[in-house]
Amino acid sequence: GQQVMQIPQYQHVQEGEDFTTYCNSSTTLSNIQWYKQRPGGHPVFLIQLVKSGEVKKQKRLTFQFGEAKKNSSLHITATQTTDVGTYFCAVQSGAGSYQLTFGKGTKLSVIP
Amino acid sequence: GAGVSQSPSNKVTEKGKDVELRCDPISGHTALYWYRQSLGQGLEFLIYFQGNSAPDKSGLPSDRFSAERTGGSVSTLTIQRTQQEDSAVYLCASSRGLVYGYTFGSGTRLTVV
């Protein structure tokens, strides 16, 4: 099945700094999803990217899907303490599969 | 209901005992998934139900694990003869279609002592 490498594993930023997490695949992806898990909480769906080169924004969050559909990024501008948590990317486990394989996540800490 | 409901929220059990974890998905969601998450780790797929199709059990780690979904709604994950390595948070999710993403429940934290 599909595998994704997510980097970095951890990121500590000063409040107000930007943050980016990356997901990379060796194979072409049909789509990619992003989730956020707050400390002690459960993953919450943020967005799905489908098209090559797609860019979507949600307030301070910018999601990109690479032109080759093999990588994706999540960028947060001017982090706030509310952004703390672990960000996961997730991809379909196989063609036409409804099952997702999750990356290992990037844990974001924001220093006030 | 408004969200995915899981019970119990916490379960402490003795090694060797059986446990049942329950998941009540969002009404109308045809897909239901079980994942587990060990402390500080990622999400490990366990099993997936889609409508009336046979479940995808490919992620179950051993034959001590089983799950059923009755009437296309509530699901129960059963772990027999629990071991300490079964300690984790068991997350249930449901979906009405992949484009909408998964909606996760709050999970059951299982501790085997």
Side-chain angles (χ1 to χ4, degrees):
Chain A
Q2 294 278 17
Q3 300 289 333
V4 279
M5 175 83 68
Q6 196 171 349
I7 54 171
Q9 189 175 357
Y10 301 96
Q11 185 81 59
H12 304 274
V13 300
Q14 202 75 36
E15 188 173 17
E17 291 182 339
D18 292 356
F19 159 77
T20 305
T21 174
Y22 301 89
C23 246
N24 299 303
S25 170
S26 58
T27 58
T28 302
L29 303 169
S30 53
N31 56 70
I32 191 164
Q33 297 186 2
W34 286 92
Y35 291 76
K36 176 184 178 181
Q37 184 174 24
R38 294 181 185 272
H42 55 274
V44 173
F45 174 69
L46 295 176
I47 207 159
Q48 173 168 281
L49 304 174
V50 179
K51 299 177 183 176
S52 168
E54 188 170 15
V55 178
K56 288 188 175 181
K57 294 191 176 186
Q58 291 179 352
K59 297 182 180 178
R60 295 178 294 103
L61 277 61
T62 302
F63 303 85
Q64 291 190 316
F65 204 5
E67 293 290 342
K69 299 181 73 173
K70 288 186 176 182
N71 54 68
S72 180
S73 65
L74 158 58
H75 179 83
I76 303 178
T77 303
T79 54
Q80 300 175 359
T81 54
T82 53
D83 296 324
V84 164
T86 301
Y87 293 84
F88 294 96
C89 61
V91 300
Q92 284 180 268
S93 300
S97 171
Y98 284 80
Q99 176 202 328
L100 294 176
T101 297
F102 286 78
K104 293 192 180 300
T106 296
K107 186 174 182 178
L108 172 64
S109 300
V110 178
I111 305 162
Chain B
V4 177
S5 178
Q6 290 189 247
S7 60
S9 54
N10 279 285
K11 176 73 176 178
V12 180
T13 189
E14 291 182 352
K15 179 181 171 181
K17 294 283 179 70
D18 298 352
V19 294
E20 283 190 353
L21 312 180
R22 176 189 167 104
C23 174
D24 202 341
I26 292 174
S27 177
H29 282 196
T30 56
L32 186 148
Y33 309 83
W34 285 97
Y35 285 76
R36 75 176 174 181
Q37 187 173 34
S38 300
L39 188 62
Q41 300 299 309
L43 284 81
E44 176 189 4
F45 167 74
L46 297 177
I47 189 169
Y48 151 55
F49 297 88
Q50 172 63 49
N52 296 319
S53 303
D56 177 354
K57 305 179 182 180
S58 60
L60 294 179
S62 77
D63 58 8
R64 295 185 296 104
F65 288 72
S66 63
E68 62 176 19
R69 187 179 185 189
T70 52
S73 181
V74 172
S75 177
T76 303
L77 176 69
T78 301
I79 308 173
Q80 295 179 311
R81 305 181 302 282
T82 51
Q83 303 294 313
Q84 287 187 329
E85 61 262 28
D86 299 334
S87 296
V89 175
Y90 289 80
L91 290 162
C92 175
S94 68
S95 176
R96 62 183 171 113
L98 200 57
V99 68
Y100 303 105
Y102 289 3
T103 301
F104 282 89
S106 297
T108 294
R109 181 175 298 278
L110 175 66
T111 304
V112 182
V113 298

